[in-house]
Amino acid sequence: MLEKHGQRDVSLVTIYQESWNAVFDLEKGTCVEAYSQGEACPKGVLSSGSLHTLVVSLDDLQQGRDFFRTVQSNTMLQDLSVSHRGNDVLQYTDHIVRIWREFSCHFHLTLVDRMLDSQGRVFAELAINEGNGSLSGSDALTKQEAWNLPVDIEFVQWDCDHVFPPLSGNSASFLDMVTKQHPTTLTLLTLDVSHLSSAGLDSIENVLRRSSLEHLHIVCSSFDPSVTTSIAKVLGSIEWLTLKSLVLSGEYIDDWLQLWPLPTDARLLCLQIWGTLPEDQVLAHSSVLFLHHLMFASPLVDLHLRLIRPYGNCDWSLIVEALDFSLLETLDVGAFIAEQIILETHAMDLFVSKIEAVHKEKATAKLVLPTFTLDITILSKHSLVGVQKILSLCSVVDLYTMCPPFDPRLSDLIAQLLGSVQWSTLSSLGLFGENLDQWIHLFPPLTAPRLRSLIICGKVPVYQELSHSSVLFVQQLIRTGTLEELIIVNVQLQDKRDWALIFESIPLALKPEFDDSAYGQDISTTEEAEHFKSR
């Protein structure tokens, strides 16, 4: 469809096609403007080579690559506006830098983030001046070139406060330019330098020195020995005074910790260290001393440690000693590390004594343990007493209990341990093993359980039998909870009519998971069971 512009030169016409609005100069036979509210990029319009203005929507990075590659042919471009569903401008850095290098004219680039609402928001506006041909063909900018770049690219507006993807040489230099003009905007950075040379690391060192980061996630990847000094400088450039949250993840956490100078003025509120499967990460004693210093200096509120293991026999004591339990609200260590602390007697005793000291000062203080796994097969009698104190003084959210056979002489101690569970804060309960019925009998009368997840799993190949009293315990857990997950597998009931007690307590909205023992041999043809199966 052709439409003449009422207030413009009659030689200009607008063509509407597939959500695109293109303005053509009929006399010159060229396309001068193009607008899009759709997703497709018509290459016929983009490759005209004569565009002055282009507004386009991009919905994925691959489409962005194709788009920027095509846009490079429009050497007359003056205004470019990109609206996209992503929320990280550095995804487009390489393309922006290449356009800047190859264009011989000034142009404006506006980036709009459409994630927040339907209209989106402008979070970056760049005035890109004359390109520098001497940089063409370079994958990374040298330090001297990066120093001169802000003269050529002016960041008129920059509201992007976070960087997530792995950094390239171009994006590191680009970010260096941004923080020189807007040093306080960046507050959240995921630092993945696996693709950076020493020049790129120099740029990141500049970024960290200028920025007032609040949240930093370091991906501890392997690195070439030639950049060891550069990585140490990057770590040494972190401004600890503003940093509230630090996450370390990856396969080489110990290598990175050993390069890190001791922090000064650390004020972390949250520290997370995530090792990676399949093996736990062994930390050298020097790395443990670094963590000890960091934890001792910081008013930590949340601490998350997973899949790490100190090399020294008493190193867990150093970590527990550094923690201020009067401030700590959440301690997430998982089953693997909890087992290590429990087995290191001094660390266990220190842990318990610190919790008891806080509880004496403030009886209502409760340290949250998001996950706790109880396995008595690894515990001594002394450790059982310690675990019982931990469960009585802490708020466990998810409790997973292994239910193996045990020495009858330990029955009272195990009953006291299970009686220490704080049901008011417990969200998930898992019972696993070959002695389910005996363990369930040791639970005391329930007090206001509010479970959202209940898992009861017998040990194959023999189905575990539950007595009538155990069924009543399970029924109460289901009735009084607000279950979103119910799994009962590898279990039989001594009286198959008891399945009706379980079925009738299950909310209609819940979709439980049973195995063949439930839907097969043990289900009676009671009205309740038939009604449940029909649901």
Side-chain angles (χ1 to χ4, degrees), residues 141-171:
L141 308 179
T142 68
K143 189 173 183 179
Q144 183 61 41
E145 289 164 344
W147 180 263
N148 292 326
L149 282 178
V151 176
D152 301 296
I153 300 182
E154 179 186 357
F155 295 85
V156 180
Q157 178 177 345
W158 187 267
D159 293 328
C160 186
D161 60 356
H162 56 271
V163 173
F164 295 135
L167 295 163
S168 66
N170 279 337
S171 61

Side-chain angles (χ1 to χ4, degrees), residues 105-179:
C105 61
H106 308 283
F107 77 99
H108 285 81
L109 171 64
T110 303
L111 294 168
V112 180
D113 174 10
R114 289 190 280 128
M115 293 293 286
L116 298 181
D117 53 58
S118 58
Q119 298 301 317
R121 66 183 178 99
V122 175
F123 69 92
E125 183 180 351
L126 288 65
I128 303 181
N129 300 320
E130 291 185 5
N132 187 337
S134 63
L135 299 181
S136 296
S138 171
D139 289 331
L141 308 179
T142 68
K143 189 173 183 179
Q144 183 61 41
E145 289 164 344
W147 180 263
N148 292 326
L149 282 178
V151 176
D152 301 296
I153 300 182
E154 179 186 357
F155 295 85
V156 180
Q157 178 177 345
W158 187 267
D159 293 328
C160 186
D161 60 356
H162 56 271
V163 173
F164 295 135
L167 295 163
S168 66
N170 279 337
S171 61
S173 296
F174 189 85
L175 198 56
D176 192 355
M177 290 186 277
V178 171
T179 55

Side-chain angles (χ1 to χ4, degrees), residues 476-495:
Q476 185 179 358
L477 289 178
I478 297 173
R479 277 183 170 174
T480 57
T482 55
L483 288 181
E484 298 174 3
E485 178 184 50
L486 174 61
I487 299 175
I488 302 178
V489 294
N490 301 324
V491 168
Q492 291 183 358
L493 306 186
Q494 289 180 358
D495 187 341

Side-chain angles (χ1 to χ4, degrees), residues 191 193 218-223 231 234-235 252-260:
L191 185 59
V193 302
I218 299 179
V219 179
C220 300
S221 56
S222 61
F223 53 85
I231 289 179
V234 167
L235 294 175
Y252 296 87
I253 293 173
D254 187 63
D255 293 348
W256 282 69
L257 288 177
Q258 293 192 49
L259 294 178
W260 216 328

